Amino acid sequence: FQAEDGIRDLVRSRGLGDVYKRQLLPRGLPLESVRKDDEEPLEIIKRRGYELVFDRKQLERASSGKILGLFSPSGMPDGIRVSATRKDRNRTVPTLGEMTRKALEALSSHDQGFFLMVEAGYIDWAGHHSDAGRMIHEMMVLDEALGVIMRWAAGRNDTLVILTADHETGNFGFSYHGYAIPPAVSLRGDAFRGEKWEPGANYVDPAVLARIYGQKKSFEQILREFDALPANERTAENFRRIFNEAVSFPISRKQAEEILATVPNPRYDPGKKKFRDRTVPLIRDFADFHLGGAENRANLMGRAIASRQGVVWATGTHTATPVLVIAWGPANTAALFAGAYHSTDLNRLMERALGLR
């Protein structure tokens, strides 16, 4: 299954018009052509026996053991959008869980077994954008896919399931803090008559999680809507309005101004895509750890509401924080993954589990 930038990278053919005529692609997918040859990759792939599918219904009907799914010209819907449209009968883009179910159905027809990798890649994007609301929804996307896998594997003695991450992003965490420390409370019971407990920190009411989950749009979508406004309407007040309509932790006009403040880009280089912005958001501390250019506004959005969410963000990039590796399956193979080891060892451990080492 090809996701994110897959279609753009895969189908860049000078003969793209002919592809449309042959009805290999739906007309609704916007594509760009940069290839210098006459190759038509989808035609080649189809000749090699792959069934091409472009929406959820086509995926459901697919019956081949070899399927190429192309569902978006670039990024797939974010987790908040997935949660909002999951029960929509007219939804055209399949969820990660639905793609996983079809992949298991297709691959399980191979009598020699199979290896399947499923990635919930937008958890990383949420970390890059300091977006706790999106993070929760992206974890739910992963949870759905993992549920599909575990139900398929239940009761089998020939299947190993490994859950891990290639890295952590953002140095994210929930933490007690000094914002809005609750007042002292009287202790109950005869042994504590007249005594009070005075909290030394705010340990965050679990109900805050429901407010975080209630976010209606990702920070990325909020910024996209703001940037789509005419130049004279990209004001702090309009940004505050768009943000507060989508997020349960409202920001002030001053906070909106701070999020929109910019400085000259010290890494400006018109020849490099990553550093093509002449100005970048003003990061007031640890600026060297926020390399996203204009995207750094999302990091400022996350910081503006972090105290009320009980959330900590240290960076907009990847970190060396250790990640969990959870293995489930036959005891003799799952046991191989116990302990702590370098991430590059994971491949060798999987090879051992498969009997290749």
Side-chain angles (χ1 to χ4, degrees):
F1 293 95
Q2 200 74 20
E4 298 183 6
D5 292 326
I7 294 180
R8 237 178 356 209
D9 293 338
L10 181 65
V11 189
R12 289 180 169 177
S13 171
R14 194 167 59 190
L16 193 56
D18 292 334
V19 175
Y20 281 130
K21 291 176 184 177
R22 295 174 187 142
Q23 297 182 337
L24 288 180
L25 280 171
R27 291 185 177 276
L29 289 176
L31 301 172
E32 299 173 358
S33 173
V34 296
R35 290 188 63 136
K36 305 301 182 182
D37 55 46
D38 293 323
E39 293 290 340
E40 295 178 358
L42 290 188
E43 192 173 74
I44 295 171
I45 290 169
K46 190 171 183 179
R47 285 203 303 266
R48 292 180 179 177
Y50 283 85
E51 185 173 357
L52 304 178
V53 297
F54 303 102
D55 60 39
R56 181 167 64 98
K57 290 183 179 179
Q58 288 182 351
L59 178 65
E60 291 174 353
R61 293 194 298 265
S63 58
S64 170
K66 298 171 68 175
I67 303 170
L68 176 63
L70 302 168
F71 306 112
S72 172
S74 184
M76 300 283 275
D78 63 60
I80 295 176
R81 179 68 177 165
V82 171
S83 295
T85 61
R86 188 182 302 278
K87 297 181 180 180
D88 184 354
R89 292 184 178 181
N90 296 319
R91 172 171 52 87
T92 59
V93 179
T95 66
L96 186 66
E98 290 167 344
M99 289 188 281
T100 300
R101 184 179 294 109
K102 178 57 70 171
L104 287 170
E105 177 186 314
L107 292 171
S108 60
S109 65
H110 296 275
D111 57 11
Q112 296 300 311
F114 62 88
F115 178 92
L116 170 65
M117 178 178 142
V118 178
E119 182 182 12
Y122 277 176
I123 297 172
D124 172 62
W125 287 33
H128 278 297
H129 293 162
S130 301
D131 191 344
R134 179 177 182 177
M135 177 81 76
I136 292 179
H137 285 271
E138 301 301 353
M139 293 296 292
M140 298 300 292
V141 168
L142 169 63
D143 183 72
E144 179 199 7
L146 186 59
V148 169
I149 293 168
M150 295 306 294
R151 286 190 291 274
W152 186 89
R156 302 183 69 98
N157 61 5
D158 60 355
T159 303
L160 177 67
V161 178
I162 301 170
L163 175 66
T164 190
D166 51 345
H167 55 75
E168 192 276 344
T169 303
N171 218 342
F172 165 83
F174 287 102
S175 175
Y176 61 84
H177 53 83
Y179 175 83
I181 297 176
V185 294
S186 298
L187 297 176
R188 297 178 180 179
D190 294 339
F192 303 105
R193 191 180 301 277
E195 294 186 30
K196 291 186 176 183
W197 176 63
E198 296 187 17
N202 186 334
Y203 294 94
V204 187
D205 186 333
V208 170
L209 284 174
R211 292 179 63 197
I212 297 175
Y213 180 78
Q215 187 171 312
K216 298 176 183 177
K217 297 175 184 176
S218 67
F219 288 176
E220 182 182 14
Q221 180 63 32
I222 291 171
L223 290 171
R224 190 180 297 122
E225 291 182 13
F226 177 76
D227 289 338
L229 294 174
N232 64 335
E233 295 182 21
R234 291 178 212 147
T235 63
E237 183 55 34
N238 277 336
F239 182 84
R240 185 190 69 83
R241 174 184 56 79
I242 295 172
F243 184 95
N244 290 349
E245 287 174 353
V247 182
S248 301
F249 302 86
I251 60 172
S252 66
R253 169 71 176 269
K254 181 180 179 181
Q255 287 176 310
E257 291 173 348
E258 291 174 347
I259 291 169
L260 296 177
T262 61
V263 294
N265 185 356
R267 302 179 183 86
Y268 173 68
D269 184 340
K272 295 183 179 179
K273 182 178 180 180
K274 183 177 286 188
F275 305 121
R276 203 173 292 168
D277 298 318
R278 289 182 178 274
T279 62
V280 291
L282 173 58
I283 304 289
R284 291 172 173 79
D285 56 0
F286 296 103
D288 287 337
F289 294 89
H290 294 80
L291 302 174
E295 292 182 359
N296 287 349
R297 283 184 297 174
N299 302 122
L300 293 170
M301 293 159 69
R303 288 180 177 216
I305 60 176
S307 293
R308 284 172 285 164
Q309 292 182 325
V311 165
V312 172
W313 297 102
T315 178
T317 58
H318 302 169
T319 74
T321 300
V323 299
L324 293 173
V325 177
I326 301 170
W328 178 94
N332 62 324
T333 52
L336 294 173
F337 298 86
Y341 37 83
H342 196 280
S343 60
T344 56
D345 290 330
L346 187 58
N347 178 68
R348 287 185 281 274
L349 291 172
M350 286 191 289
E351 287 181 342
R352 286 181 61 188
L354 291 169
L356 301 177
R357 277 182 175 264

